[in-house]
Amino acid sequence: MKSGFVVPTDLDPIERHPKAVGPGERMRMHNHMCYGCGEDSPNGLHLEIYAGEGFTIRASMEVEPHFEGGPGVLHGGILTTAFDDVMGMAPLLVGPSAVTVHLEVDFLRPIPVGSTLELSATLLGRQRRKLYTEGVAHIGDPDQPVAVAHAIFVSINAREHFAEHLDKSQISDEYKQRLSRP
Ligand SMILES: CCCCCCCCCCCCCCCC(=O)SCCNC(=O)CCNC(=O)[C@H](O)C(C)(C)COP(=O)(O)OP(=O)(O)OC[C@H]1O[C@@H](n2cnc3c(N)ncnc32)[C@H](O)[C@@H]1OP(=O)(O)O
């Protein structure tokens, strides 16, 4: 697969967290207002994301007419957003929250409006707080990917990381309180 991203060869091995969601189960929503997977996000992608075997994650996305970029094809930014969200779930298989610090996408083929996009992500390994992830998308034939992505997520303490922005969020007060508890 064409990609210029160099995955370090000295990644540390990873272990699935004992409390991680099991293979085939839906990943818990990290934020119900999330543009990617939040069920209450008014204009979001509403991705349903599932844990796979090992360190994998998967999701499907219908390419709706309002996701158009070039005539008749999916906007690259929407695809990138979907990758960010699906790949962003992979670190949760091994530990607590992590946020994107780097994400790049190789667009291999146009993705027609009306197709069903199958997205998968694999957590490759870690280096200190950095978690390396690869994503692949296809529209029916897994041997013919339409895009490949690579991302680095960095683990964070969610309470501290989001503390000063919680007041701007549309999440419920109950969720805000939960996140702001020490
Ligand atoms: C309400 C919800 C609650 C729960 C929620 C949890 C989320 C659950 C996810 C679910 C799925 C979401 C999917 C969407 C995911 C987003 O969209 S996240 C939003 C976009 N990302 C952000 O806003 C992150 C912005 N960046 C930051 O805040 C800061 O850079 C960070 C991440 C806190 C790191 O800063 P820091 O703690 O000072 O750490 P720092 O030493 O700079 O970096 C740590 C390591 O990363 C490396 N690094 C940093 N930046 C880069 C870079 N750009 N490239 C390469 N390496 C880098 C550093 O070199 C360092 O490496 P080593 O020294 O160990 O080799």
Side-chain angles (χ1 to χ4, degrees):
M1 285 186 276
K2 292 174 201 158
S3 171
F5 187 88
V6 180
V7 178
T9 51
D10 58 347
L11 292 181
D12 293 330
I14 41 180
E15 271 184 41
R16 210 172 160 117
H17 193 278
K19 289 189 180 162
V21 169
E25 290 175 31
R26 189 167 172 184
M27 296 297 288
R28 283 185 283 274
M29 221 178 311
H30 64 95
N31 170 5
H32 60 93
M33 293 307 297
C34 172
Y35 183 84
C37 60
E39 62 188 11
D40 297 332
S41 172
N43 304 307
L45 301 181
H46 302 132
L47 292 165
E48 288 185 14
I49 304 177
Y50 293 86
E53 297 291 336
F55 301 102
T56 63
I57 297 286
R58 62 182 171 76
S60 298
M61 187 181 107
E62 300 303 320
V63 181
E64 308 281 355
H66 60 282
F67 296 160
E68 177 166 310
V73 299
L74 176 63
H75 193 293
I78 300 281
L79 174 60
T80 306
T81 302
F83 266 135
D84 192 17
D85 215 70
V86 175
M87 294 166 80
M89 290 288 183
L92 300 178
L93 295 175
V94 299
S97 309
V99 289
T100 327
V101 294
H102 184 87
L103 170 61
E104 59 183 63
V105 179
D106 293 286
F107 299 91
L108 307 180
R109 291 183 177 77
I111 300 166
V113 166
S115 50
T116 302
L117 192 59
E118 304 293 343
L119 297 144
S120 61
T122 304
L123 188 58
L124 304 172
R126 71 182 312 149
Q127 250 179 5
R128 297 172 288 284
R129 290 166 60 208
K130 291 179 294 186
L131 295 137
Y132 284 78
T133 309
E134 182 177 80
V136 180
H138 70 81
I139 50 172
D141 181 354
D143 295 330
Q144 294 283 323
V146 292
V148 176
H150 291 89
I152 304 171
F153 296 87
V154 167
S155 57
I156 49 146
N157 176 321
R159 286 197 172 88
E160 289 173 16
H161 184 83
F162 296 106
E164 66 177 293
H165 307 294
L166 273 182
D167 60 331
K168 299 178 255 322
S169 174
Q170 297 177 81
I171 58 172
S172 64
D173 288 343
E174 186 208 332
Y175 195 22
K176 277 183 193 170
Q177 275 166 12
R178 221 179 329 141
L179 266 176
S180 55
R181 264 180 230 142

